[in-house]
Amino acid sequence: ELGVKDVTWVKPAGGEMDQAAWDDVNTHCLGILLDGRAQVSGIRRRGQDATVLVVLNAYHDGVPFTLPEVTGGQGWLCLVDTNLDEPGTTVFPFGHSYIATGRSLLLFELAHNDAYDSARPPARAVASL
């Protein structure tokens, strides 16, 4: 009902990977959007897991990665950046260009807007995934 996929592959420009991006031998950075709100069974109901974005950069240099827009969210909270000791508590807005430094892994959690939070059951903590 939400129109979300459980897994979406994301290119650095922020859109969904298309065949041209998959075929490009210079694609060294991509994201994996795991939407915990996707239907988890045959029962038509909203999933209750966290929505996360994993960004992998195999390139030796930094790659600007545009954080994708997701329905029901207000931005992305960086939980892990392998080039930072502590990523911080900043919620980055949709469309923000986050630099994925060379040979790094990033993990973001979707920050939900208040209207969405009040309409959904509490999600499991990301740490328990």
Side-chain angles (χ1 to χ4, degrees):
E1 293 176 11
L2 293 173
V4 297
K5 298 178 183 180
D6 54 350
V7 177
T8 303
W9 296 90
V10 183
K11 55 188 170 184
E16 187 171 357
M17 291 280 287
D18 54 15
Q19 193 59 49
W22 285 114
D23 293 340
D24 185 354
V25 296
N26 294 314
T27 299
H28 300 289
C29 182
L30 57 82
I32 307 156
L33 178 65
L34 303 169
D35 200 318
R37 301 165 305 158
Q39 185 175 330
V40 296
S41 69
I43 300 170
R44 295 189 57 82
R45 64 184 174 97
R46 180 181 298 185
Q48 299 178 18
D49 293 328
T51 297
V52 296
L53 173 66
V54 180
V55 177
L56 305 167
N57 183 13
Y59 194 56
H60 66 84
D61 204 357
V63 174
F65 195 94
T66 302
L67 299 175
E69 184 170 349
V70 177
T71 302
Q74 66 178 11
W76 293 99
L77 173 64
C78 184
L79 301 176
V80 175
D81 182 335
T82 56
N83 287 299
L84 297 176
D85 290 334
E86 294 192 27
T89 58
T90 302
V91 173
F92 297 97
F94 298 138
H96 177 81
S97 183
Y98 192 98
I99 302 297
T101 54
R103 315 241 194 271
S104 66
L105 178 136
L106 309 170
L107 175 65
F108 295 89
E109 180 181 15
L110 181 66
H112 298 286
N113 63 33
D114 293 338
Y116 179 83
D117 279 339
S118 64
R120 77 188 252 284
R124 294 188 319 219
V126 171
S128 68
L129 293 178

